[in-house]
Amino acid sequence: MQAPLEIIQLGNPLLRVPAEALSAVQIETALPLLKSLEQIMLSHQGVGIAAPQVGEPLRAFIVASRPNDRYPHAPLMEPTIMINPELLWQSEEMEKDWEGCLSIPGIRAKINRYTHIRVRYLNVLGDVIETEFTGFIARIYQHELDHLNGIVFLDRADKLDIATEAEYRKVMGLD
C-alpha cells in the first residue's frame, strides 16, 4: 500500500529538481499518482498542483480553477491533468497579480505573468491537446509549469510584493 501523498514544502531540495517527461508507458503507470494529486489539491483548497510538489519529478500537473476560500474569484473549470506540458506562445501583455502555493503556505506575492498563452500537453489518454488560456487560468498554468522546471513563484517576486496570508486577506478584503 502506498503512503498517502504529502505536499513538500519550500526548502525541500526536490522542489528544485527539473522534472522528466513521461513516455506513453509511464503515463499509464503514473495515472494513480496523478489522480491522487487532484484529491490532495482539493483538500488544501488549491487551484493547481504539480507532481514535483509531492516529490515526484514528473512533467505533469493539474489545473483546476474554481472559487474557494483561497481564491474566491477564480473562474470555474473542470480539473485537468496535463502531461508533458509546453508553452507554445505568450502574449506581450503581462499582468501582476497575487499568487500563493501549496508548497509555501502562509505567503503570497504579486507575480507578473502573461495574460494569454497557447499551450500543448497530453491528456491521460495520451492525446495531444493544443489550446489557449487567458487570465487566471493562464496564470495557474504558468505557475505549475514553473514547478516542473524547479522554479517557485517567490523566485519571480519583487521583495516589496511579498506578504503573509493574513496581510493578503486584509488587502483583498477577504476577512
Side-chain angles (χ1 to χ4, degrees):
M1 180 146 161
Q2 181 183 344
L5 292 178
E6 288 188 27
I7 297 172
I8 62 175
Q9 304 292 296
L10 183 64
N12 185 317
L14 294 176
L15 273 180
R16 300 306 193 158
V17 175
E20 298 288 328
L22 283 86
S23 69
V25 171
Q26 289 172 312
I27 290 172
E28 192 172 319
T29 305
L31 278 179
L33 167 80
L34 298 176
K35 293 184 186 219
S36 296
L37 273 179
E38 183 177 346
Q39 293 310 308
I40 195 168
M41 176 198 65
L42 292 172
S43 70
H44 288 83
Q45 295 193 39
V47 292
I49 190 168
Q53 290 181 267
V54 295
E56 296 291 337
L58 305 173
R59 290 195 76 77
F61 56 70
I62 297 175
V63 174
S65 179
R66 72 201 184 296
N68 61 37
D69 186 53
R70 291 181 70 230
Y71 297 98
H73 305 295
L76 187 60
M77 75 174 282
E78 283 296 312
T80 305
I81 296 172
M82 301 180 183
I83 301 164
N84 298 338
E86 302 172 74
L87 181 62
L88 302 176
W89 171 88
Q90 67 274 338
S91 62
E92 287 185 26
E93 183 181 355
M94 297 181 84
E95 180 179 53
K96 192 180 264 196
D97 204 356
W98 291 101
E99 291 185 22
C101 183
L102 298 176
S103 291
I104 310 172
I107 301 291
R108 296 284 185 125
K110 285 188 173 182
I111 307 298
N112 213 18
R113 300 275 189 195
Y114 297 106
T115 58
H116 186 177
I117 58 175
R118 184 175 307 119
V119 304
R120 180 185 305 134
Y121 62 89
L122 301 177
N123 67 14
V124 295
L125 301 174
D127 300 325
V128 176
I129 307 296
E130 201 167 300
T131 190
E132 295 186 12
F133 296 123
T134 59
F136 189 68
I137 295 171
R139 176 171 298 280
I140 298 168
Y141 186 97
Q142 292 168 83
H143 177 108
E144 301 308 334
L145 189 62
D146 275 352
H147 276 300
L148 303 187
N149 296 318
I151 298 167
V152 297
F153 79 111
L154 290 179
D155 297 339
R156 298 190 181 279
D158 181 302
K159 66 182 177 184
L160 298 177
D161 289 331
I162 300 172
T164 64
E165 184 75 20
E167 191 61 26
Y168 159 78
R169 293 185 71 75
K170 279 189 224 171
V171 167
M172 298 303 290
L174 299 175
D175 284 335

